[in-house]
Amino acid sequence: MDLKIYKDKQEVAGQFSSYFVDQLKDKAAFHVALSGGSTPKIVFDVLAENFADKVDWGKVHFYWGDERCVPPSDDESNYKMTVEHLFSKIDVPEANIHRILGEKDPVNEAMRYANLLEINLDRVDDVPQFDLVILGMGDDGHTASIFPHEIDLWDSEDHCVMATHPDSGQKRVSINGKVINTAKEVAFLVTGASKAEKVEAVIEKTEGSDAYPASLVNPTSGNLVWFLDEEAAAKLNQNPS
């Protein structure tokens, strides 16, 4: 595990953007699963502003680790947020954008998306392998859309699952734990004081932390990077890098 701790979410976004572009070097094609949330939004802004014309976006294939079951025009859509903050500002082929169809029936869409991943990605032990999976973490310790009350979905046989938000009841489509842990590289983007308690629990494996899906992220490649701001890292017994 590689811990990278920066002053604030703006610095996290800048450093993560450089890391992301470095990952693309010397690759003919690069398959990445994106995350939603406030920190990726700033990352996308930085990528668009600083790297729009410095990256061959034609070799990057974009997917999502999870999506809310809403139309692509809905403000809750992770896809819509990515279009507004990144895709509308870079030259990326339409064929390289592989969105989860949030407007469709979630059970059927989870099956379709799993099949898409199986076709498009290389597989390791029959599990689709991303080059990079970007994850966030909720205040409750959820990641992608695997929530603590549905932690069994982590080990689902299906590569994509239908999940339910514990409070709103909103349906989500999410990749499962096997897909996350099969990725060549996994990166957490976590910022803000509200995350500090769960960051401490997950990283330092405190008692009871295995109830949080984020604690199950342990890629077989060994390549796990946490990008944190000082607020999110406040409870860690670590020195900033």
Side-chain angles (χ1 to χ4, degrees):
M1 182 191 300
D2 186 5
L3 282 185
K4 297 181 181 295
I5 301 170
Y6 301 103
K7 181 169 174 259
D8 53 30
K9 65 164 59 177
Q10 198 63 47
E11 191 177 344
V12 167
Q15 294 290 341
F16 180 83
S17 296
S18 297
Y19 156 86
F20 179 79
V21 171
D22 279 345
Q23 291 285 313
L24 306 179
K25 286 177 181 166
D26 307 321
K27 302 240 178 33
F30 190 82
H31 298 265
V32 56
L34 302 176
S35 169
S38 61
T39 311
K41 188 185 294 185
I42 308 174
V43 167
F44 298 155
D45 286 339
V46 173
L47 281 171
E49 189 174 335
N50 296 349
F51 298 102
D53 55 357
K54 294 178 183 160
V55 168
D56 177 5
W57 295 104
K59 68 180 182 180
V60 186
H61 286 260
F62 294 97
Y63 305 79
W64 279 263
D66 68 320
E67 179 60 280
R68 300 173 172 103
C69 292
V70 296
S73 57
D74 194 291
D75 287 341
E76 289 239 307
S77 166
N78 289 337
Y79 166 78
K80 181 185 181 188
M81 184 269 280
T82 314
V83 170
E84 290 176 346
H85 290 267
L86 183 62
F87 296 155
S88 63
K89 303 172 184 177
I90 64 173
D91 185 17
V92 58
E94 193 71 33
N96 288 23
I97 299 170
H98 310 279
R99 76 176 182 91
I100 296 172
L101 306 179
E103 69 274 25
K104 302 287 191 183
D105 173 77
V107 174
N108 291 339
E109 179 55 15
M111 289 171 58
R112 184 198 71 87
Y113 207 65
N115 190 50
L116 176 83
L117 300 186
E118 288 167 12
I119 292 167
N120 287 10
L121 305 181
D122 291 335
R123 280 180 273 172
V124 177
D125 296 330
D126 286 334
V127 180
Q129 184 178 56
F130 283 104
D131 292 294
L132 173 65
V133 170
I134 303 169
L135 296 173
M137 185 182 70
D139 297 354
D140 60 357
H142 84 265
T143 195
S145 277
I146 311 289
F147 295 94
H149 77 291
E150 292 182 328
I151 200 165
D152 289 352
L153 290 176
W154 186 265
D155 293 315
S156 169
E157 283 301 306
D158 302 317
H159 298 136
C160 295
V161 295
M162 181 188 77
T164 306
H165 189 279
D167 300 322
S168 68
Q170 182 188 62
K171 300 301 182 190
R172 309 270 183 95
V173 173
S174 177
I175 58 176
N176 74 354
K178 289 180 195 169
V179 174
I180 291 170
N181 283 336
T182 298
K184 292 178 183 175
E185 186 107 5
V186 179
F188 269 107
L189 278 172
V190 184
T191 59
S194 67
K195 309 290 175 71
E197 187 183 318
K198 293 300 187 294
V199 165
E200 177 194 30
V202 168
I203 290 178
E204 299 190 350
K205 305 220 176 296
T206 59
E207 189 176 347
S209 62
D210 54 0
Y212 309 132
S215 72
L216 303 178
V217 176
N218 183 24
T220 52
S221 66
N223 299 324
L224 174 60
V225 192
W226 285 78
F227 287 82
L228 304 164
D229 67 354
E230 288 177 359
E231 287 188 340
K235 294 180 180 288
L236 291 177
N237 299 318
Q238 305 275 347
N239 292 318
S241 58

